[in-house]
Each structure stands twice: as structure tokens, then as C-alpha cells.
Amino acid sequence: EIALTQSPGTLSFSPGERATLSCRTSQKLNSNKLAWYQQKPGQAPRLLIYDASSRATGIPDRFSGSGSGTDFTLTISSLEPEDFAVYFCQHYGTSWAFGQGTKVEIK
Amino acid sequence: QVQLVQSGSELKKPGASVKVSCQASGYTFTKYSINWVRQAPGQGLEWMGWIHTNTGNPTYAQGFTGRFVFSLDTSISTAYLHISSLKPEDTAMYYCVRFDLKPDSWGQGALVTVSS
């Protein structure tokens, strides 16, 4: 089974800064079936990025995904106040697996 | 638009059972599988498995065999998660998720609390 590692667990930024979040998989993803989600307290996860780099419907273009193989990145080009939340990565092959999440907090 | 609406919060005693529903609208229910994801309080996301909405065939992830059962009622576009012999550690939010080449739509979640 593929395991996903997100580190660090918490990142601190000021609004307007660029945020780069990391997700590493334990095996190479040949099909780039990797997604990123944003989750705020009391809410369901919201799909941001799928297939490693495709933006989901309605997602602002300040969110972008990149990477291949075992190393993937979510970039938020300029943090807005509403972007402070927890972000999860996910592999969705024949089975699913999630990273443990990275909290993006206000510095 | 695609919507998955889940049943409400449940408070159950240890040993009881619970059935969580997930009603789909805005698309043809039998065209896309439904996955189930668990999130314990303050924790990450765990994949529980999925059900093929055309055949009703379920697949359970490791750790979710035996007490967990996925089922369907296609006449009302609804998927169900049944958990038996509840334990306090089953306390969690349970999400249903539609899979259309990607996990694109999530229900709002159903909170199950197991406490004596």
C-alpha cells in the first residue's frame, strides 16, 4: 500500500506570502493520481487539485499543483485570509490513501 | 449540480449499530462509484472502501472488514454505511465521496458519537 507523508505538520505565513506544501509518496505514482484538498473546521474537505496539477472547478488560480513520481507540491501563490486551513494530499488509485495533513496558520 | 446529502448526527451506545445514508442528486447515480472516508475528531482522513453503484459490489479497506457494510438503494439514489457492534473508537465524521475519474464530490459528513 502506498503511504503519503506531508511535512511539516504546521507552516506559518503572513497574508500575501507564497506557501509551498509538500507531499511525498512511498512508491512512484505512474499515473499521477494525486489530489489536494483544503479543509476548514466543521467542513468537509474541498477538492483543489486533481491528477497532480489540474485545478478543480471554481478553484482560484492562486492554487497550483505540481510534481510527479514520488514528490508533489501544492503552491498558493499569495495567501488570502480564507486560505488559512488544513491541507491534505491523497492518492486515488485502486485504493486510496491520505497524507496526515499540513496546517497553514497565520504568523 | 451534483450533491451528496448525508443523514444527521447520531449518538449511540457501545455495542449498538448505526446506518448512515448518502443521497445523491444531480447525476445518474449508477454511473459513478461511492467511496467512504472516516475522520476521527482532530485527526486525518481514512479511506474505508467503496461500492460499485451499478453492481452493488463493495470493496473494504484494511481495518474496515467485518463490522462495516456498504449497501445501496438505487431506486432513491442512496448509498448506506452500516456499522455494527459500535466501539468508542468509531466516534468520527463519516463522509461519502463520489468518484468520477477523481474524487470530485463529498457529502457534508455524518457525525457518529459512541458513548455510554
Side-chain angles (χ1 to χ4, degrees):
Chain A
E1 282 201 8
I2 295 176
L4 283 73
T5 301
Q6 294 183 250
S7 61
T10 303
L11 289 168
S12 301
F13 298 98
S14 299
E17 285 193 299
R18 180 184 185 90
T20 302
L21 281 64
S22 169
C23 177
R24 182 162 289 175
T25 61
S26 60
Q27 299 173 37
K28 183 180 176 182
L29 301 188
N30 294 315
S31 58
N32 278 357
K33 295 299 183 188
L34 188 110
W36 289 94
Y37 295 90
Q38 177 193 71
Q39 188 176 34
K40 297 180 180 178
Q43 296 184 17
R46 174 193 181 200
L47 179 66
L48 300 174
I49 301 289
Y50 65 95
D51 292 352
S53 61
S54 296
R55 210 175 293 116
T57 303
I59 300 304
D61 60 8
R62 64 180 182 272
F63 292 93
S64 64
S66 62
S68 63
T70 60
D71 289 290
F72 298 87
T73 300
L74 173 70
T75 300
I76 311 170
S77 59
S78 178
L79 282 160
E80 297 287 339
E82 62 268 26
D83 298 338
F84 292 92
V86 178
Y87 293 83
F88 293 96
C89 59
Q90 178 204 22
H91 170 56
Y92 49 96
T94 52
S95 64
W96 289 10
F98 293 92
Q100 72 273 38
T102 292
K103 182 179 181 181
V104 174
E105 66 174 21
I106 299 176
K107 188 188 291 183
Chain B
Q1 76 282 21
V2 173
Q3 252 193 319
L4 299 175
V5 178
Q6 298 186 235
S7 45
S9 299
E10 302 266 11
L11 174 60
K12 297 290 185 180
K13 294 192 184 306
S17 63
V18 70
K19 197 168 189 177
V20 173
S21 67
C22 168
Q23 185 165 38
S25 62
Y27 72 98
T28 302
F29 180 67
T30 51
K31 287 188 72 173
Y32 306 104
S33 64
I34 292 287
N35 286 253
W36 290 93
V37 174
R38 182 171 79 176
Q39 187 171 37
Q43 301 301 308
L45 301 162
E46 276 186 285
W47 180 62
M48 302 174 67
W50 64 286
I51 186 163
H52 195 298
T53 51
N54 200 25
T55 65
N57 185 46
T59 298
Y60 300 98
Q62 268 189 340
F64 293 99
T65 55
R67 299 189 300 116
F68 300 85
V69 176
F70 307 147
S71 62
L72 304 170
D73 185 341
T74 56
S75 69
I76 55 170
S77 300
T78 299
Y80 298 96
L81 164 65
H82 183 261
I83 311 172
S84 58
S85 303
L86 283 162
K87 306 174 182 180
E89 52 265 39
D90 293 324
T91 294
M93 188 74 84
Y94 292 85
Y95 294 102
C96 57
V97 187
R98 186 184 87 148
F99 187 75
D100 172 18
L101 299 180
K102 60 189 179 293
D104 66 347
S105 296
W106 290 58
Q108 84 277 19
L111 178 63
V112 175
T113 303
V114 184
S115 173
S116 53

Short mmCIF file of all heavy atoms in Angstrom, two decimals, chain B residues 12-40:
data_model
loop_
_atom_site.label_atom_id
_atom_site.label_comp_id
_atom_site.label_asym_id
_atom_site.label_seq_id
_atom_site.Cartn_x
_atom_site.Cartn_y
_atom_site.Cartn_z
N LYS B 12 -24.83 6.97 19.85
CA LYS B 12 -25.11 5.56 20.10
C LYS B 12 -24.30 5.05 21.28
O LYS B 12 -23.22 5.56 21.57
CB LYS B 12 -24.75 4.72 18.85
CG LYS B 12 -25.57 5.06 17.61
CD LYS B 12 -27.01 4.59 17.76
CE LYS B 12 -27.78 4.83 16.49
NZ LYS B 12 -29.20 4.38 16.61
N LYS B 13 -24.83 4.00 21.89
CA LYS B 13 -24.11 3.35 22.99
C LYS B 13 -23.20 2.26 22.42
O LYS B 13 -23.49 1.69 21.35
CB LYS B 13 -25.09 2.74 23.98
CG LYS B 13 -25.93 3.78 24.72
CD LYS B 13 -26.66 3.18 25.88
CE LYS B 13 -27.57 4.17 26.57
NZ LYS B 13 -26.84 5.39 26.99
N PRO B 14 -22.11 1.96 23.12
CA PRO B 14 -21.25 0.85 22.68
C PRO B 14 -22.05 -0.42 22.50
O PRO B 14 -22.94 -0.73 23.31
CB PRO B 14 -20.23 0.73 23.83
CG PRO B 14 -20.19 2.09 24.42
CD PRO B 14 -21.57 2.63 24.32
N GLY B 15 -21.76 -1.14 21.40
CA GLY B 15 -22.46 -2.38 21.09
C GLY B 15 -23.65 -2.20 20.18
O GLY B 15 -24.13 -3.18 19.59
N ALA B 16 -24.15 -0.98 20.05
CA ALA B 16 -25.27 -0.72 19.17
C ALA B 16 -24.79 -0.68 17.71
O ALA B 16 -23.61 -0.87 17.42
CB ALA B 16 -25.93 0.61 19.55
N SER B 17 -25.73 -0.43 16.80
CA SER B 17 -25.37 -0.28 15.39
C SER B 17 -25.94 1.03 14.86
O SER B 17 -26.81 1.65 15.48
CB SER B 17 -25.88 -1.46 14.57
OG SER B 17 -27.29 -1.51 14.61
N VAL B 18 -25.42 1.45 13.73
CA VAL B 18 -25.86 2.70 13.12
C VAL B 18 -25.84 2.55 11.61
O VAL B 18 -25.04 1.78 11.05
CB VAL B 18 -24.96 3.87 13.57
CG1 VAL B 18 -23.55 3.76 12.97
CG2 VAL B 18 -25.57 5.22 13.22
N LYS B 19 -26.74 3.27 10.94
CA LYS B 19 -26.77 3.27 9.47
C LYS B 19 -26.74 4.71 9.00
O LYS B 19 -27.64 5.50 9.33
CB LYS B 19 -28.02 2.58 8.96
CG LYS B 19 -27.95 2.16 7.50
CD LYS B 19 -29.12 1.23 7.16
CE LYS B 19 -28.97 0.63 5.80
NZ LYS B 19 -30.05 -0.34 5.49
N VAL B 20 -25.71 5.06 8.27
CA VAL B 20 -25.53 6.40 7.73
C VAL B 20 -25.95 6.37 6.26
O VAL B 20 -25.57 5.47 5.51
CB VAL B 20 -24.06 6.84 7.85
CG1 VAL B 20 -23.81 8.15 7.14
CG2 VAL B 20 -23.65 6.92 9.31
N SER B 21 -26.73 7.36 5.84
CA SER B 21 -27.16 7.41 4.44
C SER B 21 -26.48 8.55 3.70
O SER B 21 -26.02 9.53 4.30
CB SER B 21 -28.68 7.56 4.35
OG SER B 21 -29.08 8.82 4.84
N CYS B 22 -26.45 8.40 2.38
CA CYS B 22 -25.82 9.37 1.49
C CYS B 22 -26.67 9.43 0.23
O CYS B 22 -26.62 8.51 -0.60
CB CYS B 22 -24.39 8.91 1.19
SG CYS B 22 -23.54 9.79 -0.14
N GLN B 23 -27.50 10.46 0.11
CA GLN B 23 -28.40 10.56 -1.04
C GLN B 23 -27.81 11.47 -2.10
O GLN B 23 -27.48 12.63 -1.81
CB GLN B 23 -29.77 11.05 -0.62
CG GLN B 23 -30.76 11.06 -1.79
CD GLN B 23 -32.21 11.19 -1.35
OE1 GLN B 23 -32.50 11.92 -0.42
NE2 GLN B 23 -33.09 10.47 -2.02
N ALA B 24 -27.72 10.94 -3.31
CA ALA B 24 -27.13 11.67 -4.42
C ALA B 24 -28.19 12.34 -5.27
O ALA B 24 -29.32 11.83 -5.41
CB ALA B 24 -26.31 10.71 -5.28
N SER B 25 -27.83 13.47 -5.85
CA SER B 25 -28.71 14.15 -6.81
C SER B 25 -27.86 14.89 -7.82
O SER B 25 -26.68 15.15 -7.59
CB SER B 25 -29.65 15.11 -6.08
OG SER B 25 -28.92 16.11 -5.42
N GLY B 26 -28.48 15.21 -8.97
CA GLY B 26 -27.78 16.00 -9.98
C GLY B 26 -27.01 15.18 -11.00
O GLY B 26 -26.33 15.76 -11.86
N TYR B 27 -27.07 13.85 -10.89
CA TYR B 27 -26.38 13.00 -11.86
C TYR B 27 -27.00 11.60 -11.82
O TYR B 27 -27.81 11.31 -10.93
CB TYR B 27 -24.88 12.95 -11.57
CG TYR B 27 -24.49 12.16 -10.33
CD1 TYR B 27 -24.04 10.85 -10.43
CD2 TYR B 27 -24.56 12.72 -9.06
CE1 TYR B 27 -23.67 10.12 -9.31
CE2 TYR B 27 -24.21 12.02 -7.93
CZ TYR B 27 -23.76 10.71 -8.06
OH TYR B 27 -23.41 9.99 -6.92
N THR B 28 -26.60 10.76 -12.74
CA THR B 28 -27.08 9.37 -12.76
C THR B 28 -26.30 8.57 -11.73
O THR B 28 -25.10 8.32 -11.89
CB THR B 28 -26.91 8.75 -14.16
OG1 THR B 28 -27.62 9.55 -15.11
CG2 THR B 28 -27.44 7.32 -14.19
N PHE B 29 -26.97 8.17 -10.68
CA PHE B 29 -26.34 7.57 -9.50
C PHE B 29 -25.50 6.35 -9.84
O PHE B 29 -24.42 6.16 -9.28
CB PHE B 29 -27.44 7.18 -8.50
CG PHE B 29 -26.94 6.56 -7.23
CD1 PHE B 29 -26.20 7.29 -6.32
CD2 PHE B 29 -27.25 5.24 -6.92
CE1 PHE B 29 -25.76 6.72 -5.13
CE2 PHE B 29 -26.83 4.66 -5.74
CZ PHE B 29 -26.08 5.40 -4.84
N THR B 30 -25.98 5.52 -10.76
CA THR B 30 -25.31 4.25 -11.02
C THR B 30 -24.09 4.37 -11.94
O THR B 30 -23.47 3.36 -12.26
CB THR B 30 -26.31 3.24 -11.61
OG1 THR B 30 -26.98 3.84 -12.73
CG2 THR B 30 -27.35 2.81 -10.57
N LYS B 31 -23.76 5.59 -12.34
CA LYS B 31 -22.62 5.76 -13.25
C LYS B 31 -21.29 5.92 -12.52
O LYS B 31 -20.23 5.74 -13.12
CB LYS B 31 -22.84 6.97 -14.16
CG LYS B 31 -23.88 6.74 -15.24
CD LYS B 31 -23.92 7.89 -16.23
CE LYS B 31 -22.70 7.91 -17.14
NZ LYS B 31 -22.83 8.93 -18.21
N TYR B 32 -21.32 6.27 -11.24
CA TYR B 32 -20.09 6.59 -10.52
C TYR B 32 -20.09 5.91 -9.16
O TYR B 32 -21.10 5.92 -8.46
CB TYR B 32 -19.95 8.10 -10.34
CG TYR B 32 -20.05 8.86 -11.64
CD1 TYR B 32 -21.21 9.56 -11.96
CD2 TYR B 32 -19.01 8.84 -12.56
CE1 TYR B 32 -21.33 10.23 -13.16
CE2 TYR B 32 -19.12 9.51 -13.77
CZ TYR B 32 -20.29 10.20 -14.06
OH TYR B 32 -20.40 10.85 -15.25
N SER B 33 -18.94 5.38 -8.78
CA SER B 33 -18.84 4.69 -7.50
C SER B 33 -18.91 5.68 -6.34
O SER B 33 -18.70 6.88 -6.51
CB SER B 33 -17.53 3.90 -7.43
OG SER B 33 -16.43 4.78 -7.47
N ILE B 34 -19.24 5.12 -5.18
CA ILE B 34 -19.26 5.89 -3.94
C ILE B 34 -18.21 5.32 -3.00
O ILE B 34 -18.17 4.11 -2.76
CB ILE B 34 -20.64 5.85 -3.26
CG1 ILE B 34 -21.69 6.59 -4.09
CG2 ILE B 34 -20.56 6.42 -1.83
CD1 ILE B 34 -21.57 8.10 -4.08
N ASN B 35 -17.36 6.18 -2.49
CA ASN B 35 -16.35 5.80 -1.50
C ASN B 35 -16.77 6.33 -0.13
O ASN B 35 -17.55 7.29 -0.03
CB ASN B 35 -14.99 6.39 -1.87
CG ASN B 35 -14.33 5.69 -3.03
OD1 ASN B 35 -13.38 4.94 -2.87
ND2 ASN B 35 -14.86 5.91 -4.23
N TRP B 36 -16.24 5.72 0.91
CA TRP B 36 -16.50 6.16 2.28
C TRP B 36 -15.17 6.49 2.95
O TRP B 36 -14.18 5.75 2.82
CB TRP B 36 -17.25 5.10 3.06
CG TRP B 36 -18.67 4.92 2.60
CD1 TRP B 36 -19.14 4.04 1.68
CD2 TRP B 36 -19.80 5.68 3.04
NE1 TRP B 36 -20.49 4.19 1.51
CE2 TRP B 36 -20.93 5.18 2.33
CE3 TRP B 36 -20.00 6.71 3.97
CZ2 TRP B 36 -22.22 5.69 2.53
CZ3 TRP B 36 -21.28 7.22 4.16
CH2 TRP B 36 -22.37 6.72 3.44
N VAL B 37 -15.16 7.61 3.67
CA VAL B 37 -13.96 8.11 4.34
C VAL B 37 -14.31 8.46 5.79
O VAL B 37 -15.36 9.07 6.04
CB VAL B 37 -13.42 9.36 3.62
CG1 VAL B 37 -12.25 9.98 4.38
CG2 VAL B 37 -12.98 9.01 2.20
N ARG B 38 -13.45 8.08 6.71
CA ARG B 38 -13.67 8.37 8.13
C ARG B 38 -12.67 9.40 8.62
O ARG B 38 -11.50 9.40 8.22
CB ARG B 38 -13.50 7.08 8.95
CG ARG B 38 -13.74 7.25 10.43
CD ARG B 38 -13.79 5.91 11.15
NE ARG B 38 -12.47 5.36 11.40
CZ ARG B 38 -12.25 4.24 12.08
NH1 ARG B 38 -13.28 3.55 12.56
NH2 ARG B 38 -11.03 3.80 12.28
N GLN B 39 -13.13 10.27 9.49
CA GLN B 39 -12.25 11.25 10.14
C GLN B 39 -12.59 11.33 11.61
O GLN B 39 -13.63 11.87 11.98
CB GLN B 39 -12.39 12.63 9.46
CG GLN B 39 -11.37 13.64 9.98
CD GLN B 39 -11.37 14.92 9.17
OE1 GLN B 39 -12.41 15.39 8.71
NE2 GLN B 39 -10.20 15.50 8.97
N ALA B 40 -11.72 10.78 12.43
CA ALA B 40 -11.90 10.86 13.89
C ALA B 40 -11.65 12.30 14.33
O ALA B 40 -10.96 13.06 13.63
CB ALA B 40 -10.96 9.90 14.58
#
